[in-house]
Amino acid sequence: MSGGGGGGCSIVWFRRDLRVEDNPALTAGVRAGAVVAVFIWAPEEEGQYYPGRVSRWWLKQSLAFLDSSLRNLGAPLITKRSTDSVSTLLEVVKSTGATQLFFNHLYDPLSLIRDHRAKEVLTSHGIAVRSFNADLLYEPWDVNDAHGQPFTTFSAFWERCLSMPYDPEAPLLPPKRIIPGDISRCPCDTLVFEDEFEKASNALLARAWSPGWNNADKALTAFINGPLIEYSRNRRKADSATTSFLSPHLHFGEVSVKKVFHLVRIRQVLWANEGNKAGEESVNLFLKSIGLREYSRYISFNHPYSHERPLLGHLKFFPWVVNEGYFKAWRQGRTGYPLVDAGMRELWATGWLHDRIRVVVSSFFVKVLQLPWRWGMKYFWDALLDADLESDALGWQYISGTLPDGREFDRIDNPQFEGYKFDPNGEYVRRWLPELARLPTEWIHHPWNAPESVLQAAGIELGSNYPLPIVGIDTAKARLQEALSQMWQQEAASRAAIENGTEEGLGDSSESAPYTFPQDIQMEENLEPVRNNPPSAPRRYEDQMVPSITSSLLRIEEEETSSDLRNSAADSRAEVPINVNVQQNARVTLNPGAAVLQSPHSNARLQQNNGATELRITAEDSTAESSSSGRRERDGGVVPVWSPPTSSFSEQFVGDENGIGTSSSYLQRHPQTHEILNWRRLPQTG
DNA sequence: CGACATTTGTA
DNA sequence: ACAAATGTC
């Protein structure tokens, strides 16, 4: 396994494993001889999930740290700008004379496809390709129930993980030094991660966060030595500095989960020996949140659609309220519910939110406002520093009640009560909603009930400097009931239609006139959300239209932007290629031998017609996404930018074999979803 | 010590 | 809202 005498070096392809310690691909590369470390920035490949501003900021910092560590070890990080990672890899291989490629696994749907293709293409060029597990305690395909089937509930999954017959592998030490490959003919591209606007907005982030693997290590140590022991007691506090703050580090793989697991476990044994029950329990709870991260990859691998369609099919028939006024009020933190609003303001200003508050605001979004969950998920994607497709998809599905072990649909959490639970003294609300700062705790989570005199004393005029509740909880409950009964009706009708052989189970009504967002959703300072008005916007049965992302970077880099993007390109925005429909989505060019991943229900599958498949998303798509976004400064933070409508989503694979409904839940349907993309079928080492 | 009440936590 | 865990007599 060493060098192989051929003299060719190895490429180590860094992605979301931006660390030198416990990096199996890097270790393998170093063992094999000379190494060329590469990072390819090809955000257009992410289509709609082009990374948000804060996420890109983090990546930039993190790469700088990685580069300097690699340099210290002997080989710099080669950075490449690309719209097609695989062909760029090929170029790098050619210009360096490499004979091997090493990388670590990713499990989001896009990466599964891209990496699969990378293996195929590079292998066909005579390159030895090997990939490794660097992101998880156990590979998804190694965790199965007694019948060899994937788990479908978290607790069963996690129980199994914790009782596997073998422990997760011990973390690898960083290499002592790296022999550099020949990069004389492989120049770096300068990567641009932020434009001038964004730079200004991002300046503040550095005060609160320190990206990079060495800082990740510090954060981990600080957490284990500090807040961990109190985790079980404190984890419910919205305002806490008691979380690990590891999530962005983990997202970019600056610290390995295996290392976290091992260190935390060691501490647990220690506490157990001391009879420290609280400490022991704290570790269990913290590990559970690590487990959820694992589970999100597990779900994504087994159901590569989970980021865009409900796992339990009935939600497909939920009549979502398509109301951009609600949506805007939610984003701005002007719903009239202090806990929700405080959360949204914090997110807006810092790109961060405590897990509890994520649940509160997303649950409010889905249950009270009844907005399509994918909008919310997309907003999180754009705004969160630790935006993570798999984790966020899991979270939103959990909230929406489309997981077997998720929250029930018909349950509305009352933000007022949750407020007193998670923020009993109102400190959190006061910090993020200065307009309520003078309100006594008694009323802080339900100002609408406060006596006029109290409001006056606190300088609050409801409906003027703080909104009345956008929707009353009772109204929301009634509406939710109504919507749910509609949903079940639709579901039943659809099933009946399928049984009658009327193939088109889903009412085509929804497909005919795709709703589009208003052109420009600006962050207006004093927008007053309408109160309790029945949703003026139509309800719709498909939840597929996701307001698009903003990528102002592209605006700068690609000058070719056409004049009227909104109408042309915006309608045909590149989607996550999973659902690419060639006819409809003209912008997504499927080059000869299109790779098309089909519905999970018809067994997700990468179809390849001939060897060199290529799925390319043209630059125009993303450029289009950058148009018409409003931005405004706002106390310290910067308002996340929101841009206009997105395409209709091509969820046309309507007539899934089994129909869609609870009776034929995905539990029974998922069998071979992963067969094709299963890594087991790919050369596996490590 | 078991039957029953109360509290708690809910991926 | 509910099931599990914990507390009480």
Side-chain angles (χ1 to χ4, degrees), chain A residues 157-177:
Chain A
F157 164 81
W158 189 230
E159 211 170 290
R160 176 70 184 147
C161 286
L162 290 176
S163 61
M164 289 284 278
Y166 50 98
D167 282 332
E169 279 164 49
L172 300 162
L173 292 173
K176 290 200 183 71
R177 73 191 180 95

Side-chain angles (χ1 to χ4, degrees), chain A residues 19-38:
Chain A
R19 60 175 186 265
V20 294
E21 184 182 330
D22 194 28
N23 188 322
L26 177 61
T27 299
V30 168
R31 266 188 210 151
V35 165
V36 173
V38 179

Side-chain angles (χ1 to χ4, degrees), chain A residues 322 324 327 331 375 515-519 521 547 642-646:
Chain A
V322 177
E324 77 278 2
F327 190 29
R331 294 195 314 267
W375 294 9
Y515 172 83
T516 41
F517 256 39
Q519 289 299 325
I521 301 179
W642 197 261
S643 65
T646 181

Side-chain angles (χ1 to χ4, degrees), chain A residues 559-589:
Chain A
E559 293 295 326
E560 66 210 293
T561 312
S562 73
S563 52
D564 191 346
L565 305 153
R566 290 176 185 176
N567 301 329
S568 54
D571 287 331
S572 51
R573 168 156 306 104
E575 289 289 346
V576 185
I578 305 296
N579 294 298
V580 164
N581 173 308
V582 186
Q583 295 95 321
Q584 266 216 339
N585 228 335
R587 291 287 169 145
V588 176
T589 56

Side-chain angles (χ1 to χ4, degrees), chain A residues 1 3 9-12 32 93 98-103 118-132 683 685:
Chain A
M1 233 183 241
C9 66
S10 315
I11 306 291
V12 175
V93 162
T99 53
Q100 303 184 79
L101 170 69
F102 301 97
F103 62 87
K119 279 201 176 180
E120 294 218 330
V121 171
L122 282 265
T123 303
S124 77
H125 280 76
I127 305 299
V129 181
R130 286 164 60 201
S131 59
F132 305 85
T685 14

